[in-house]
Amino acid sequence: MRDGPGRPYRRLRRQMLAALIAVGLLPLATVAGASLVAFQREIDARTRGGLEAIVKNRKATVELFLDEKLRQLQLCATSLPVAELSQPGVLEVLRREMQRERGGIIDLGLIGEDGRHLAYVGPYDLAGLDYRGAPWFHEVMVQGRYESDVFLGFRRFPHMVMAVKKREAGKDYVLRATIDTDLLSALVREGGLESGADVFVLNRAGEYQTQYSREHRLMEKADTGPIPVHSGVRLVATSRAGHVEHVATAWLRGHAWTVVGRQAAPGPWAIAGAQPTLLWLMALLLVAVVGLAFLIVRHRLRQFRGLEADHAALLEATAQSQKMAAIGRMAASVAHEINNPLAIIDAQVGVLTDALTDGADPPSRDELRDRLRRVAGQVQRGREVTHRLLGFSRRVGPSVEPVAVEEALDQTIGFVQQGDTSDRVKLVRHYAPEVPLIRSSLAQMQQVFLNLINNALDAIGEEGEVHLFVERSGLGVEVRIQDNGPGIAPTDLNRIFEPFFSNKSGTKTHSGLGLAICRDLMRSLNGRIDVSSTVGKGTTFSLWFPPEVPGD
Amino acid sequence: MTTTRVLLVDDEVEFLEPIAARLARRGLECTSVTSGEQALAALAQAPYDCAIVDVRMPDMDGLELLRRMRRMWPQVSVILLTGHASIELGVKGMELGAFEYLLKPIEIDDLVDTVLRAARPR
Amino acid sequence: MGRIREWLRRRREPVPAAGDPDAARPRRLPFKLQYHYFRELLAANDQVLELIAGIEDALAAEPGQPPRDLRAAVDEAMLAAFVMVKNLNLISEDRYRGLYDALDRVHRAVDAAVAPSPAPRGGPRIVPLAAITRAHAGLVGAKMANLGEVRNRLGLAVPDGFVVSATAFDAFVAFNDLADQVAACLGACGQSPGDLVAASAAIQRAVGAATLPPEVLEELSAAATALLARAGGRLRLAVRSSAIGEDSHSSWAGQYHTVLNVGPAELPRSILQVIASLYGPSALAYRRERGLEEEAARMAVGCIELVEAAAGGVMFTRDPTRPDAPHLLIEAVPGQGASAADGTIAPDHFVLLRGEAPRVVERTLGVRSHMLLPTPAGGLCAVPVPASRLASPCVSDEHLEQLCRTGRVLEEHFGGPQDVEWAIDLRGRIVILQTRPLACAEFQPATPVPPELLGEHPVLVRDGVTACPGVASGTVVRVESEADLDRVEAGAVLVAVHSSPAYARVMQRVAAIVTEVGGRTGHMAIVARELGVPTIVGAPSAAALRTGTEITVDATHALVLAGRVAALLGSSPPRRTRARGLPELEALDKVAPLLCPLHLTEPESPGFQPSACTSLHDVTRFAHEKTFAEMFHLGDDVKRADEVRAVRLAARLPIEVYVFDLGGALRPAATHRPEVTVDDLTSAPLCAFATGLLDARIHWDRPRPVSVGGFLSVVGESMVGPPPSKHSLGRRSFAMASDTYLNFSTRAGYHFSTVDTYCGQSINKNYVSFRFVGGAAAAERRERRVRFVAGVLRQLGFAVQTHADLVAGRLQKYPRDRIRQTLEIMGRLTLCARQLDMLMDDDALVAGFVRAFLAEDFEPFA
């Protein structure tokens, strides 16, 4: 009791634990998963929103800065005549003035139509330069103003040039300023500082215009790939070096530059940082579920053991009572079959008891032996009755006995010839010597013979011969029944074992079931039946019987 | 008339032989036959006081034998002895005039008692 | 049988020496031998009375309580009665041969009742439908017998065909040795549904592996060939179950298999399939629940031509839930009607007014997508319903009206509402496929559900149809497949999409059934009605019912309410008791009138004859009475030298007592006197018993203060039962006594009591046995007296058994003095208990009487 149920219980325990924990954890995991996804989405959305705002904001800032410089330049150009501008010292005043407003102006020059400086103020010596061949000079003459990309130029540091055209007395002049883009970089960088986003400006060619980290090499091509021209702020998620990151872009300065904000998408662990209490709660629930599962399983198993014991007792009682009922019912019908052998045993035992009690003439050894043998015979008879009726012994088929196949066949021929005494029909026997005895059902075997011989006789009609062969084949016995009748057409040959198929014709009523029955019988005898036939020559049925049919 | 003469009729030879031996040992003179026809033949040849007849026999069964015996030898009492307890056969047998209806297996002393009672002339 | 042997063994007495020539052979049996027979007879009498009482017990038992083995009890009683009759004739030298006839009569009647029509086995193996009428139900099963009746007596169109009869089934079972296999499989089968399924599978495998016996195959082939010829060379068959006993008592609706569209070559296999369905799990469970014997389950198989149907379905000639209404119900599906019955296709539903001119009053079109048509290869296949037929009913009004008229013809002919399966063939002809009695609910006036209940409990389903009225509540279990059935626990409400006959398997344990699809003419609905399971079908909104919800199914109003509506539940009639249909109980009902009632009560009347004996009780009563007369030569003045005669006991007693001296019971001087006194008695037990009888404290001669109720009860029972005899209160009683033995039996009025005792030196042989039977007055009063006697006996240390109004007690292995003491009390008890039931108006009094008696306070008994 202790050992027996232990194993199954251990397994049951494992299964119950697994099931309970699974059941407990499933909702937990679902909730955790769902909130993870929700949080991630939320954070993601926030990141994207933030990035969009930064880019928008930086775009405005950069625009504002450049617009301001441009406006100041334009103001200078329009408000003062060339004569005054070209006076020494005036530009210096203007530069200082402009420098004061956010600074960033490095130099300032007034250039005449001929591309030569009329006046210049700045750290460089540019007085002798002729700008007439420079594309920007040409552009400013045509467009009225000009903004360059950032370049290193003659000065070997990042700067950009801004120029406006001034027309006075039929002559064109250009007011040009060099702007320190360090300031621009600082302005752009300012936006990304707190969110951790990487913010920079690219020109149309995708080259960095601002720089605040080592990654940004001014004037070099950025790894963002080509950015299509679009309006407003565009947000895309891209994958860079295996990480998902969000990229927000906005074009400015009339599609000359792009502000790019770039920020990695938050990973799952971002949430851990965001919601530490949630994590703790999950862990706590996990522990609770597992603990509870253990407790429940322990309790249930204890109950199961009790129930199982009750159930086993109940089953046993039920089985017993059913058995008794069945035996009782059968016993009633068996009783009279038992009474006769009992009466004989009683009488035989009585004779011996009489003789022994009397003492006058004790039974001889032979008498004793004979009577005991008879008693045993009756006991055997009784046993057969009880086995038959009580033992539920399953008899699969009819009784199986040792059979001499030749004799069985001879007996069958006997039946046939009783019915048809005319001697015109010739049955020729070819029995091999030493055909083994087999264990089979004589009755079923003869039924097959009878059917096949009858078929053969029908086939040969008035004159003809039926040859019967019996020989050993393998461990079993083969019987062939061969006629020289008209034979069976090849098309019919594989149908003859179907029920209701018949190729006989004539007045005799028959069903076409004969061969179907033969096949079934042979099957139940574990044997085989085969047929071969040639039209015009005759038909041969081959039967093979196994050495033994499993029976009772 | 010193001995009671009993005719034993049963299709089971195995049963007849020892029972006859036991009855003989108790002072009864027994003749055994295995069918109704043989029984009638035996009755025609010698007088009997009583017959012990099995009910179930092939050909002529015990009840038929009883019927004929009541007609031809009414002085011979018939004890029916069978392994098959059936009210129907019992009633029929008693109605036909059997002396007793007994079940196999039977205690030999009971059988002797019944034979002796049955053998009293009517 | 054991009893007979015991009885034979008990007869041991000295026999006159054999062959003693001098022994004067008495003309009669020697007295001692007579006495031996007499005692044997008394013992048999006790046995019969006990068995009769036991049978009365079983009759009064709670329905559903399985009666003990009736057959064995009856056999035992019969054998005991046979011994009585035989011994009476032995004692009387065959003066009562007529009693053999009486016994035989009773025996035959009882045999016929106990073994209910052991269906006349025999008859042809194959029977053409043209030769069948209702009378052949035992051979071809009720289904085919009815079909034959419809064809041959009513001349209605039915398909051509023949039946493979129960005889063929028996041959099949014998040929394949199936009976043992079935018994073995079921013997090993436990109680759980799973076990039953396994057993069923095993049996069905065995059947599938079996073969039809050659002679059946031969005849089958001949019949099929003939049918083929009549059908004009093309033959498709429907192979239908027709179990013996099916539809006669219980409608085994849908338990069995039908194979449609079978070609001749597959016929043997299809027949085996149908036979195998006799052992399907539902069928096995059904028989188990009904207590039907497995050995008696036999199956005939109908092989009838398949009707190629334009439409088909089921017709109920009455509304089974409202049999009083003038309605006739028809459910129809296009194509083969098979699915109308199994609930997989929603049928068109029609209600007709059954009258001279039938009229369709209601039509509901089923929503369906497919219909079943036979395929050339055999079997059926589902094909889409042509769009043109989707929107219109699948049967025309003319056909419906014609069906209705046919239904009325069938109902009239078969004498009750019918459940008819029909088809309309491609030529528009109505063909009857099957008809059987319709199980109808008893009429229940539908009281509307009180609205206040509905407010409290939301209505979840109200779009269904009542299949079986009734109210039940329980927890929903949704069943999606048959495998789910094992999960259905007792008291659950089974909710399913389709109705299915497979649910019969669990119907005993479910509280109610609700299905989304299905008609009330389906097989499941029929079985539900038969079992009285509240059932709603065709309720699409039941789809919302979820497993585990507690609901109340008010099938009477086709409502499902949330929660448990106690008020509704109370109003529902009790669920039908299953026991009513149990064959064991039915047999008991039939057998009891042949065994129990006592018609012969007055020995003096000219009607006291063997020929007047109509029950076993009569036979034994007659034998008992006459045995006493024979034994004691009452009224016989001829004296014989060897005889022992009864002598009268002169004493102040309410009964006349005759004493029979078996040796040493009387003083030698008294033995030849016609009368003796108590002082002449030398029998120890008789002396003690007489002392009790003569106890002066019991004033039996005072007028009794009979209570009015008690008096009326006796009068009432007398008018119902046998009339009281003028002798009944003063009849003779007999004491057979020796120095140590006494058998005292007294029959006074309806009472009969016996004291049988041995009172000697040997403790181991000593015993007192007391039996008390009968009495006028209503059953409950008798019962009170039984409790009184049993109570006293128990207090005295007897082992007591009671059956109906019989009390038997036995006390043994006590010293002589204790036995004597007890016998004295028995004497008083015999007097006191005589008419006690007249006084017992109240259950509470019983204990009081017991106390008073044992305290020797005899005032209450006066």
Side-chain angles (χ1 to χ4, degrees):
Chain A
M1 201 64 197
R2 195 161 288 268
D3 285 354
R7 279 190 78 81
Y9 273 118
R10 265 207 296 283
R11 225 179 90 203
L12 182 64
R13 185 184 143 88
R14 263 203 311 277
Q15 289 170 340
M16 279 174 74
L17 268 179
L20 271 176
I21 292 176
V23 162
L25 289 188
L26 197 69
L28 201 63
T30 312
V31 166
S35 44
L36 201 70
V37 169
F39 275 122
Q40 193 154 11
R41 274 204 198 129
E42 172 66 24
I43 289 179
D44 220 39
R46 243 193 276 164
T47 310
R48 289 153 66 92
L51 200 59
E52 188 178 357
I54 288 168
V55 168
K56 212 184 248 174
N57 178 271
R58 286 309 101 187
K59 171 188 168 178
T61 309
V62 171
E63 296 259 34
L64 193 69
F65 174 77
L66 295 178
D67 280 350
E68 189 186 70
K69 296 299 167 216
L70 194 63
R71 235 182 3 258
Q72 284 173 349
L73 212 54
Q74 269 169 342
L75 190 70
C76 295
T78 47
S79 52
L80 291 175
V82 173
E84 202 163 328
L85 280 173
S86 42
Q87 294 238 338
V90 173
L91 278 185
E92 179 57 33
V93 173
L94 283 178
R95 188 174 78 103
R96 222 174 281 148
E97 204 60 29
M98 282 164 75
Q99 189 76 10
R100 214 172 44 228
E101 299 232 357
R102 294 216 202 196
I105 299 289
I106 296 167
D107 65 1
L108 203 59
L110 181 68
I111 300 161
E113 259 178 330
D114 55 357
R116 294 195 177 266
H117 272 112
L118 298 178
Y120 172 79
V121 56
Y124 310 110
D125 177 21
L126 301 172
L129 283 176
D130 179 358
Y131 288 114
R132 207 168 31 185
W136 69 267
F137 188 76
H138 183 70
E139 192 179 328
V140 84
M141 282 300 174
V142 177
Q143 300 276 333
R145 64 189 177 109
Y146 167 75
E147 286 171 25
S148 74
D149 283 348
V150 175
F151 63 101
L152 293 173
F154 306 112
R155 302 174 188 89
R156 309 307 310 163
F157 72 92
H159 65 278
M160 67 177 284
V161 170
M162 200 179 268
V164 294
K165 188 170 85 173
K166 178 180 170 68
R167 195 169 176 84
E168 192 178 288
K171 278 190 169 172
D172 289 328
Y173 304 87
V174 170
L175 190 62
R176 191 200 61 94
T178 302
I179 295 167
D180 180 355
T181 53
D182 269 353
L183 191 64
L184 192 67
S185 289
L187 278 177
V188 171
R189 177 200 308 159
E190 209 171 81
L193 272 181
E194 60 182 289
S195 68
D198 181 13
V199 188
F200 49 87
V201 176
L202 301 179
N203 64 6
R204 200 119 191 207
E207 292 154 354
Y208 285 112
Q209 301 294 298
T210 57
Q211 172 180 31
Y212 80 100
S213 75
R214 229 175 265 268
E215 219 182 310
H216 309 152
R217 311 281 296 270
L218 210 60
M219 307 298 300
E220 279 182 15
K221 207 143 172 98
D223 57 355
T224 53
I227 295 164
V229 172
H230 59 86
S231 65
V233 181
R234 173 172 174 272
L235 257 173
V236 289
T238 63
S239 152
R240 193 166 67 110
H243 294 290
V244 176
E245 58 176 21
H246 297 294
V247 179
T249 50
W251 288 95
L252 64 157
R253 308 316 295 165
H255 302 314
W257 288 5
T258 329
V259 181
V260 179
R262 194 151 74 170
Q263 189 162 18
W269 296 114
I271 291 141
Q275 296 285 346
T277 41
L278 188 74
L279 270 190
W280 277 117
L281 195 67
M282 292 283 168
L284 211 64
L285 280 174
L286 188 93
V287 171
V289 161
V290 172
L292 210 60
F294 271 92
L295 281 178
I296 291 175
V297 166
R298 206 175 64 175
H299 179 66
R300 280 284 153 194
L301 276 184
R302 223 173 265 164
Q303 281 185 332
F304 275 172
R305 281 195 184 127
L307 276 180
E308 192 157 290
D310 291 353
H311 188 61
L314 186 70
L315 272 185
E316 202 173 314
T318 316
Q320 187 60 22
S321 78
Q322 279 176 347
K323 206 159 120 194
M324 292 317 289
I327 287 175
R329 203 181 301 169
M330 291 227 168
S333 68
V334 165
H336 74 263
E337 295 208 40
I338 293 287
N339 275 342
N340 283 320
L342 272 185
I344 293 169
I345 293 167
D346 180 62
Q348 293 288 5
V349 170
V351 170
L352 294 178
T353 315
D354 285 351
L356 291 172
T357 317
D358 248 11
D361 55 319
S364 69
R365 277 186 85 82
D366 282 346
E367 187 188 353
L368 197 61
R369 191 178 298 119
D370 179 59
R371 295 205 183 275
L372 288 178
R373 191 176 49 75
R374 286 169 195 278
V375 166
Q378 294 303 316
V379 169
Q380 176 58 27
R381 178 176 164 194
R383 185 183 297 142
E384 276 164 19
V385 173
T386 50
H387 277 206
R388 177 157 47 83
L389 287 163
L390 282 177
F392 286 146
S393 67
R394 282 185 61 185
R395 290 206 290 143
V396 191
S399 65
V400 169
E401 55 196 311
V403 178
V405 179
E406 316 95 291
E407 280 174 31
L409 194 54
D410 280 344
Q411 282 173 14
T412 315
I413 294 168
F415 295 141
V416 177
Q417 285 177 336
Q418 268 173 14
D420 185 0
T421 45
S422 73
D423 270 341
R424 281 166 308 184
V425 171
K426 281 178 96 176
L427 283 167
V428 188
R429 296 169 213 206
H430 311 268
Y431 295 172
E434 290 176 20
V435 174
L437 279 184
I438 58 169
R439 288 183 57 78
S440 193
S441 160
L442 180 64
Q444 295 198 353
M445 188 186 283
Q446 289 187 332
Q447 208 174 341
V448 176
F449 292 158
L450 191 64
N451 261 311
L452 293 181
I453 294 176
N454 273 332
N455 275 351
L457 292 177
D458 283 353
I460 58 175
E462 295 291 301
E463 23 194 281
E465 284 177 356
V466 176
H467 293 263
L468 305 164
F469 299 86
V470 179
E471 60 203 38
R472 177 196 284 266
S473 164
L475 289 173
V477 173
E478 186 175 78
V479 175
R480 285 196 310 280
I481 297 171
Q482 183 183 353
D483 68 57
N484 57 359
I488 303 168
T491 45
D492 288 343
L493 205 55
N494 47 13
R495 292 184 55 209
I496 58 170
F497 291 116
E498 288 176 13
F500 301 107
F501 178 83
S502 174
N503 66 342
K504 294 187 206 173
S505 55
T507 50
K508 275 193 185 174
T509 54
H510 49 75
S511 61
L513 277 169
L515 290 175
I517 293 172
C518 287
R519 188 196 49 185
D520 282 352
L521 288 173
M522 287 307 289
R523 221 176 256 171
S524 82
L525 292 175
N526 276 10
R528 279 197 312 267
I529 180 167
D530 295 302
V531 62
S532 64
S533 184
T534 316
V535 175
K537 286 204 164 171
T539 307
T540 304
F541 282 93
S542 310
L543 305 167
W544 182 79
F545 297 94
E548 193 156 341
V549 179
D552 47 0
Chain B
M1 223 208 291
T2 52
T3 3
T4 306
R5 287 149 310 179
V6 183
L7 181 62
L8 277 168
V9 191
D10 199 311
D11 58 323
E12 294 229 38
V13 190
E14 290 272 317
F15 179 66
L16 282 179
E17 187 272 331
I19 278 287
R22 300 198 78 192
L23 292 179
R25 196 177 274 270
R26 283 159 182 76
L28 304 176
E29 195 182 301
C30 292
T31 308
S32 305
V33 295
T34 56
S35 74
E37 286 80 4
Q38 286 179 24
L40 293 175
L43 284 162
Q45 280 176 5
Y48 290 92
D49 297 306
C50 160
I52 299 173
V53 175
D54 187 17
V55 177
R56 286 190 162 182
M57 289 187 292
D59 299 330
M60 187 192 302
D61 73 1
L63 292 185
E64 180 54 32
L65 177 60
L66 171 64
R67 202 174 285 124
R68 296 200 193 178
M69 282 180 67
R70 296 316 294 160
R71 216 167 44 229
M72 296 163 70
W73 296 281
Q75 75 282 5
V76 183
S77 310
V78 176
I79 297 167
L80 294 173
L81 181 60
T82 176
H84 186 51
S86 140
I87 304 278
E88 215 175 303
L89 292 178
V91 167
K92 226 180 251 169
M94 295 309 286
E95 277 189 312
L96 284 172
F99 179 78
E100 256 288 23
Y101 179 80
L102 299 177
L103 267 188
K104 282 184 194 173
I106 185 171
E107 292 273 350
I108 192 72
D109 293 336
D110 287 343
L111 185 61
V112 172
D113 286 353
T114 313
V115 167
L116 292 179
R117 289 205 311 273
R120 288 178 304 114
R122 298 205 166 208
Chain C
M1 210 153 303
R3 299 234 174 208
I4 293 195
R5 217 168 295 133
E6 199 182 322
W7 144 65
L8 289 168
R9 207 162 293 131
R10 260 189 272 124
R11 49 167 62 196
R12 285 291 186 81
E13 84 267 356
V15 173
D20 179 358
D22 299 326
R25 293 213 164 145
R27 205 177 65 76
R28 286 175 156 256
L29 287 177
F31 174 72
K32 293 221 161 162
L33 195 55
Q34 276 194 337
Y35 178 64
H36 170 83
Y37 285 134
F38 177 65
R39 284 193 62 190
E40 206 171 83
L41 183 145
L42 290 186
N45 187 54
D46 287 350
Q47 212 181 331
V48 175
L49 291 181
E50 210 165 288
L51 290 163
I52 287 177
I55 286 164
E56 281 176 338
D57 258 8
L59 273 180
E62 286 293 306
Q65 182 183 325
R68 68 193 200 92
D69 191 348
L70 183 64
R71 180 84 228 201
V74 169
D75 283 351
E76 242 175 83
M78 280 291 159
L79 275 176
F82 172 64
V83 169
M84 288 181 75
V85 174
K86 182 168 69 68
N87 286 15
L88 170 61
N89 275 299
L90 286 172
I91 290 169
S92 70
E93 304 275 291
D94 285 343
R95 272 211 258 168
Y96 302 96
R97 307 209 64 121
L99 204 52
Y100 280 123
D101 290 333
L103 179 64
D104 200 36
R105 247 188 347 260
V106 172
H107 176 244
R108 277 169 208 281
V110 167
D111 234 21
V114 174
S117 59
R121 309 220 165 183
R125 288 181 280 260
I126 306 279
V127 195
L129 204 55
I132 293 172
T133 65
R134 222 187 327 180
H136 298 97
L139 181 64
V140 300
K143 195 189 271 183
M144 285 301 138
N146 281 358
L147 196 60
E149 180 89 1
V150 169
R151 179 191 191 278
N152 301 317
R153 288 272 164 79
L154 294 178
L156 296 173
V158 304
D160 196 0
F162 57 87
V163 182
V164 179
S165 75
T167 311
F169 174 82
D170 292 339
F172 167 74
V173 168
F175 183 71
N176 295 289
D177 255 328
L178 280 175
D180 281 358
Q181 297 187 42
V182 170
C185 290
L186 289 176
C189 166
Q191 292 296 319
S192 91
D195 289 349
L196 203 58
V197 171
S200 160
I203 296 173
Q204 292 189 328
R205 260 200 309 281
V207 172
T211 49
L212 290 173
E215 67 272 19
V216 173
L217 279 177
E218 296 274 350
E219 290 179 27
L220 180 63
S221 126
T225 312
L227 190 59
L228 183 67
R230 287 202 297 277
R234 194 181 163 280
L235 183 61
R236 301 308 290 179
L237 291 159
V239 181
R240 310 181 70 120
S241 66
S242 183
I244 310 302
E246 181 178 6
D247 290 354
S248 61
H249 274 285
S250 7
S251 55
W252 303 56
Q255 306 293 343
Y256 301 135
H257 205 57
T258 291
V259 190
L260 293 176
N261 196 19
V262 174
E266 303 102 64
L267 199 48
R269 198 165 43 89
S270 305
I271 289 171
L272 288 189
Q273 268 177 303
V274 171
I275 287 178
S277 73
L278 183 62
Y279 304 104
S282 305
L284 289 178
Y286 198 93
R287 284 199 288 274
R288 257 199 188 185
E289 280 151 10
R290 297 252 144 186
L292 301 172
E293 278 183 30
E294 205 49 54
E295 294 89 341
R298 295 156 82 218
M299 171 83 86
V301 182
C303 305
I304 59 175
E305 223 180 311
L306 185 76
V307 176
E308 284 196 45
V314 176
M315 163 166 64
F316 282 9
T317 62
R318 300 271 170 178
D319 182 340
T321 55
R322 303 261 334 264
D324 58 318
H327 291 149
L328 178 142
L329 311 184
I330 292 175
E331 282 180 351
V333 294
Q336 293 293 331
S339 47
D342 74 10
T344 52
I345 299 182
D348 290 350
H349 181 91
F350 306 97
V351 178
L352 281 86
L353 271 184
R354 3 166 335 122
E356 287 308 313
R359 192 158 51 82
V360 182
V361 290
E362 197 186 309
R363 75 188 82 221
T364 319
L365 296 195
V367 182
R368 57 177 164 260
S369 51
H370 59 283
M371 62 190 216
L372 300 177
L373 290 179
T375 63
L380 299 179
C381 68
V383 298
V385 178
S388 59
R389 293 182 64 182
L390 271 178
S392 57
C394 57
V395 185
S396 71
D397 276 11
E398 295 89 86
H399 272 136
L400 289 173
E401 284 155 17
Q402 199 184 332
L403 265 172
C404 179
R405 279 188 289 269
T406 308
R408 288 185 46 198
V409 169
L410 289 171
E411 188 177 298
E412 200 170 309
H413 184 80
F414 287 99
Q418 295 292 301
D419 164 359
V420 184
E421 203 178 312
W422 53 270
I424 294 173
D425 68 14
L426 298 178
R427 284 176 297 161
R429 190 174 60 134
I430 289 179
V431 182
I432 303 299
L433 302 177
Q434 180 185 336
T435 182
R436 61 175 168 215
L438 174 64
C440 282
E442 276 133 46
F443 174 62
Q444 291 175 312
T447 46
V449 182
E452 65 269 20
L453 286 177
L454 295 185
E456 205 177 314
H457 299 273
V459 177
L460 305 175
V461 172
R462 62 180 354 141
D463 50 359
V465 185
T466 301
C468 175
V471 184
S473 84
T475 312
V476 171
V477 176
R478 284 203 74 89
V479 172
E480 310 289 347
S481 72
E482 272 197 51
D484 291 348
L485 287 177
D486 291 344
R487 292 189 296 110
V488 177
E489 286 174 8
V493 176
L494 192 161
V495 178
V497 177
H498 298 297
S499 61
S500 160
Y503 301 160
R505 191 141 71 73
V506 295
M507 232 175 244
Q508 291 283 7
R509 55 179 198 264
V510 301
I513 299 173
V514 181
T515 70
E516 295 164 30
V517 187
R520 55 180 139 168
T521 55
H523 288 320
M524 186 199 80
I526 294 172
V527 178
R529 268 197 293 287
E530 196 177 304
L531 297 180
V533 183
T535 301
I536 298 176
V537 294
S541 60
L545 298 177
R546 289 281 155 257
T547 296
T549 330
E550 181 164 56
I551 58 170
T552 296
V553 178
D554 176 1
T556 311
H557 302 100
L559 292 179
V560 175
L561 305 161
R564 186 184 153 81
V565 189
L568 277 181
L569 291 172
S571 71
S572 162
R575 181 120 162 211
R576 215 160 297 164
T577 53
R578 309 281 187 256
R580 203 169 54 173
L582 281 179
E584 274 279 277
L585 278 188
E586 275 174 18
L588 192 63
D589 280 340
K590 274 192 269 177
V591 116
L594 299 169
L595 298 180
C596 303
L598 182 60
H599 310 96
L600 297 187
T601 49
E602 272 204 85
E604 276 72 26
S605 84
F608 201 82
Q609 295 291 333
S611 56
C613 294
T614 54
S615 72
L616 194 69
H617 203 165
D618 289 340
V619 171
T620 55
R621 172 67 208 274
F622 184 88
H624 188 261
E625 186 68 37
K626 286 303 177 193
T627 305
F628 274 82
E630 286 294 323
M631 280 298 287
F632 310 124
H633 313 294
L634 302 171
D636 182 355
D637 287 332
V638 184
K639 250 184 147 180
R640 280 181 284 269
D642 66 308
E643 272 164 14
V644 184
R645 295 255 357 221
V647 292
R648 192 173 171 276
L649 181 65
R652 197 189 61 96
L653 278 172
I655 42 179
E656 255 189 296
V657 176
Y658 286 80
V659 178
F660 231 151
D661 183 9
L662 302 174
L666 297 172
R667 280 177 210 288
T671 42
H672 295 296
R673 288 210 301 262
E675 268 194 7
V676 296
T677 64
V678 177
D679 298 331
D680 292 324
L681 302 178
T682 54
S683 160
L686 182 54
C687 283
F689 188 71
T691 311
L693 275 181
L694 291 167
D695 195 317
R697 290 172 297 176
I698 305 169
H699 304 286
W700 50 267
D701 49 350
R702 275 212 305 244
R704 286 152 191 284
V706 171
S707 73
V708 175
F711 177 74
L712 288 180
S713 161
V714 170
V715 171
E717 188 81 358
S718 299
M719 278 156 58
V720 177
S725 157
K726 61 180 173 186
H727 297 279
S728 59
L729 294 178
R731 288 200 30 80
R732 299 174 174 115
S733 298
F734 296 94
M736 276 157 291
S738 73
D739 51 348
T740 50
Y741 172 79
L742 168 68
N743 179 295
F744 185 96
S745 43
T746 173
R747 186 183 283 281
Y750 300 100
H751 311 172
F752 178 59
S753 66
T754 312
V755 175
D756 192 78
T757 180
Y758 186 88
C759 175
Q761 297 295 346
S762 151
I763 289 186
N764 276 333
K765 280 167 87 180
N766 284 352
Y767 70 87
V768 182
S769 147
F770 183 80
R771 305 169 64 84
F772 191 92
V773 202
E780 66 185 51
R781 284 164 177 276
R782 282 202 299 233
E783 196 186 307
R784 285 182 198 129
R785 187 188 44 210
V786 163
R787 285 201 283 133
F788 166 74
V789 175
V792 169
L793 291 180
R794 282 200 186 94
Q795 290 287 324
L796 292 173
F798 279 72
V800 183
Q801 283 189 312
T802 64
H803 298 289
D805 63 344
L806 177 147
V807 188
R810 193 171 171 93
L811 175 118
Q812 54 192 357
K813 298 186 183 174
Y814 279 100
R816 182 187 172 104
D817 283 348
R818 168 76 185 273
I819 298 284
R820 270 209 289 240
Q821 227 175 350
T822 310
L823 283 170
E824 202 181 314
I825 300 174
M826 290 298 102
R828 292 200 286 265
L829 185 62
T830 305
L831 274 192
C832 287
R834 277 179 62 231
Q835 300 282 12
L836 197 63
D837 51 299
M838 304 262 271
L839 299 170
M840 291 214 181
D841 280 325
D842 191 345
D843 271 358
L845 288 180
V846 174
F849 275 112
V850 172
R851 268 196 307 278
F853 179 83
L854 291 170
E856 308 203 349
D857 167 14
F858 299 110
E859 274 310 304
F861 300 94

